[in-house]
Structure formats: structure tokens, C-alpha cells
């Protein structure tokens, strides 16, 4: 057994035993049904060695973790023009906050808060039909995960479509400022559906590998993005990937990471590994409670924080 596999199994064991699990998201009714006792962890190093434990094969709703991949696609389409529509500063406010948008004239602070991700999705749509844009996003996820078995959980998408009034407010607000180009319902439809992509920890860690290896696809060796872009996406993940918990995540874990309200976190140890953890219970900022604790244990034991041991 490798050191990494031993550490991953130890952590899964420790997390299973903990009574503090956080609370599942309830504002998307379908997510409220998920069993909070689950825990999965998968680490894939740059040579392709997989260390995994717990519920690492159970698919979960990746939610905002999808925003890393839509950002990658949108940068591929629009290049640096994307940064006219969305900033890259931490927001210091909740993921679904509205107040900042008014002060900043409809330009969201960063691509990972909901408003920013909706603006990113709008860039991917750029005049196409929602079905085509969604197809492109799902194909990209399958290509990166090297697995055709990645799909959209329609029940989760429909659940959020029915209840996503706050996101509708954010989108309409940006539309009023001319930040969104497509019909609001098109952009929101694609956004809700890409948030509803279901993947397991192994698939998600695989999909993130290009960010750990200078933009290269792990299987084909092709360039997914140039090294400079991979570095920059990691930087935005570090500063903005956990909303108003981003400082705490950097302090404790020390890796670029992106969380979702399904309880997943994708974390990148540049040059070393891609890591996916899933524990559905959330903390007050909407980030996976045990996911963060597990990653803190992992980076400490393996000495993987980008800030040193
Ligand atoms: N933080 C999240 O994962 C939020 C994503 C969710 N789909 C929403 O828009 O509210």
C-alpha cells in the first residue's frame, strides 16, 4: 500500500467516526434528501495513481464545483475578454449575495459566486441553444474525466429550476445592466443543469487533473489549457473558491479548492495531485464541513500545502 493510500484510508476512517457532520443544503429540495453520513475521498497523483476510500464511487451533485469547468470553457471561448464581465477578487460575501451587484454595476466580483458563474454560463451560451451549450459542458466533463458515464441529474436540475428565485433575481439584475447577452431563462436553464451534474469522487479528481499538471489532459497528454491559464484558474480557486470561507480554507488547507453545496470539494496540489472529497453536510458558509477537515488532515500529513509544510 502506498503512503497516500494509507493516509486516505486513515482519514476516511476518522471522518466516519465523527459526530459533527454539518447540515445538508435544504434550499434545493432534492439535496435535502441526501444522507449526511456519507464520506468519499479520492486522490489521483500526476502519474495516475489513484488512492480512494469511503463512498468514493457514489455519485453526488457537484453544484458549484462545475464552475471551475465552465470558467475553463468560457476562457477558451472569450479569452481575457471574459474579465470585462466578471472580476477576479474575493467577494467577502455569501455565494448567493445580491447586495454587491448593485454597488458594482452588475459586474460580479468573481466567476465562482453565483452571479459570476451565471455570467460565465452566458458567455458559453453566446447565442446558441441551451441544449447545445449544455451538451458542450457535459462532453467536456466526460473528456476530462475520461469517462462517458457523467450525466446530469434531472431531478436536481428541476428542483432548483422550481426554487431558484434568488438566482433568477441575480440574472435579471445583470441583464438590466447589459452584462448578460442571452435570454435570462436560457442562461439560467444552462446554469441550473450544469450545477446538477452528478459525479463521484474518482471522476471528479480525474476531471481536475489538468489543473495539477500544467493544463495537460492526463490520458491523451493534449493541452486542455496553456500552463499559464491552469495557474491562473488555480489562483482564482485559492482566493474565491470557498466564497467568504476562502481565507479560512487557504489558512487551514493551503490548496486551490472549489466547493459546492452538494458537499463536494475539488482541491489541486499543483505538480502533485488532484483531490476530490465529498461529505454532504455543510458549514455556515455553505462549504463541506468534513470535506474541509479531511483536506486539512490530508495536506498536513502529506506536506502538500502550497505554503510549505
Ligand atoms: N454554492 C453552490 O454550490 C451553489 C450552486 C447552486 N446551484 C446555486 O445556485 O445556489
Amino acid at each position: 500500500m502506498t503512503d497516500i493510500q494509507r493516509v486516505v484510508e486513515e482519514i476516511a476512517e476518522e471522518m466516519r467516526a465523527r459526530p459533527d457532520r454539518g447540515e445538508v443544503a435544504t434550499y434545493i429540495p432534492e439535496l435535502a434528501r441526501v444522507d449526511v453520513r456519507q464520506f468519499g475521498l479520492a486522490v489521483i497523483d500526476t502519474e495516475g495513481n489513484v488512492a480512494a476510500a469511503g463512498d468514493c464511487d457514489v455519485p453526488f451533485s457537484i453544484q458549484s464545483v462545475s464552475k471551475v469547468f465552465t470558467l475553463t470553457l468560457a476562457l477558451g471561448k472569450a479569452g481575457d475578454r471574459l474579465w470585462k464581465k466578471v472580476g477576479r477578487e474575493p467577494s467577502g460575501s455569501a455565494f448567493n449575495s445580491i447586495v454587491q451587484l448593485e454597488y458594482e454595476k452588475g459586474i460580479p466580483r468573481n466567476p465562482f459566486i453565483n452571479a459570476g458563474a451565471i455570467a460565465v454560463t452566458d458567455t458559453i451560451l453566446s447565442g446558441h441553444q441551451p441544449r447545445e451549450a449544455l451538451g458542450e459542458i457535459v462532453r467536456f466533463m466526460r473528456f476530462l474525466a475520461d469517462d462517458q458515464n457523467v450525466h446530469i441529474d434531472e431531478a436536481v436540475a428541476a428542483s432548483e429550476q422550481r426554487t431558484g428565485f434568488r438566482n433568477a433575481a441575480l440574472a435579471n439584475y445583470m441583464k438590466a445592466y447589459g452584462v448578460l447577452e442571452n435570454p435570462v431563462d436560457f442562461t439560467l436553464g444552462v446554469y441550473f443543469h450544469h450545477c446538477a451534474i452528478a459525479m463521484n469522487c474518482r471522476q471528479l479528481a480525474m476531471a481536475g487533473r489538468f489543473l495539477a499538471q500544467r493544463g495537460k489532459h492526463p490520458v491523451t497528454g493534449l493541452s486542455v489549457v496553456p500552463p499559464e491559464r491552469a495557474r491562473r484558474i488555480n489562483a482564482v480557486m485559492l482566493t474565491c473558491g470557498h466564497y467568504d470561507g476562502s481565507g479560512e480554507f487557504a489558512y487551514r488547507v493551503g490548496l486551490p479548492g472549489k466547493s459546492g453545496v452538494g458537499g463536494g470539494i475539488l482541491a489541486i496540489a499543483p505538480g502533485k495531485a488532484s483531490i476530490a472529497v465529498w461529505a454532504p453536510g455543510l458549514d455556515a458558509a455553505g462549504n463541506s464541513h468534513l470535506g474541509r477537515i479531511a483536506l486539512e488532515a490530508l495536506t498536513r500529513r502529506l506536506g502538500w500545502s502550497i505554503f510549505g509544510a
Side-chain angles (χ1 to χ4, degrees):
M1 195 188 293
T2 66
D3 278 359
I4 301 178
Q5 179 67 34
R6 186 177 44 74
V7 169
V8 163
E9 283 180 18
E10 268 169 27
I11 292 172
E13 202 55 47
E14 288 161 23
M15 295 303 126
R16 223 191 313 276
R18 285 181 75 121
D20 56 322
R21 309 205 72 88
E23 305 278 335
V24 292
T26 52
Y27 77 100
I28 301 175
E30 200 61 23
L31 296 183
R33 301 166 31 157
V34 176
D35 181 356
V36 76
R37 287 167 303 186
Q38 299 174 93
F39 177 87
L41 177 60
V43 178
I44 310 187
D45 71 14
T46 46
E47 265 126 57
N49 302 306
V50 181
D55 299 307
C56 56
D57 293 310
V58 180
F60 60 90
S61 190
I62 68 169
Q63 291 295 322
S64 288
V65 184
S66 62
K67 296 171 182 177
V68 173
F69 303 97
T70 50
L71 172 64
T72 306
L73 273 178
L75 283 169
K77 281 186 191 298
D80 282 342
R81 274 184 296 123
L82 181 72
W83 301 119
K84 293 203 170 79
K85 278 198 188 182
V86 56
R88 42 176 193 263
E89 292 297 342
S91 67
S93 47
F95 64 86
N96 56 5
S97 171
I98 291 182
V99 64
Q100 222 162 32
L101 261 189
E102 177 156 27
Y103 294 130
E104 298 180 2
K105 307 229 174 327
I107 307 284
R109 268 287 170 105
N110 68 64
F112 293 150
I113 50 173
N114 287 9
I118 292 168
V120 165
T121 301
D122 190 73
T123 302
I124 296 175
L125 248 171
S126 67
H128 295 105
Q129 289 301 310
R131 184 192 301 268
E132 289 168 37
L134 256 183
E136 184 177 0
I137 296 168
V138 173
R139 276 195 302 281
F140 188 52
M141 298 308 295
R142 289 178 177 161
F143 162 68
L144 291 177
D146 193 37
D147 191 336
Q148 292 304 306
N149 214 356
V150 172
H151 66 278
I152 293 173
D153 184 330
E154 289 293 341
V156 172
S159 180
E160 191 170 6
Q161 199 123 31
R162 272 196 307 276
T163 55
F165 302 112
R166 254 189 118 93
N167 286 320
L170 292 168
N172 279 292
Y173 206 81
M174 289 189 286
K175 184 76 179 172
Y177 272 105
V179 174
L180 297 192
E181 285 159 22
N182 301 275
V184 166
D185 54 334
F186 279 25
T187 302
L188 278 177
V190 176
Y191 171 78
F192 291 142
H193 281 79
H194 75 62
C195 286
I197 289 173
M199 293 172 86
N200 62 38
C201 287
R202 282 180 203 270
Q203 291 169 325
L204 189 58
M206 188 71 184
R209 274 180 70 189
F210 75 101
L211 292 171
Q213 37 201 72
R214 299 169 52 80
K216 284 219 178 341
H217 188 281
V219 179
T220 63
L222 297 172
S223 164
V224 178
V225 294
E228 179 179 70
R229 182 162 295 158
R231 170 167 57 76
R232 289 174 163 170
I233 293 170
N234 282 331
V236 183
M237 287 171 74
L238 181 78
T239 52
C240 310
H242 281 69
Y243 318 111
D244 45 344
S246 299
E248 185 72 4
F249 188 82
Y251 179 85
R252 291 187 176 276
V253 177
L255 295 179
K258 182 73 208 84
S259 69
V261 290
I265 302 175
L266 172 67
I268 304 298
K272 295 194 171 70
S274 171
I275 307 155
V277 63
W278 173 52
L282 307 178
D283 63 19
N287 301 314
S288 175
H289 171 68
L290 287 185
R292 201 263 294 142
I293 292 173
L295 287 171
E296 184 177 5
L298 186 87
T299 52
R300 190 185 303 121
R301 285 175 215 183
L302 296 173
W304 276 3
S305 165
I306 60 171
F307 301 108

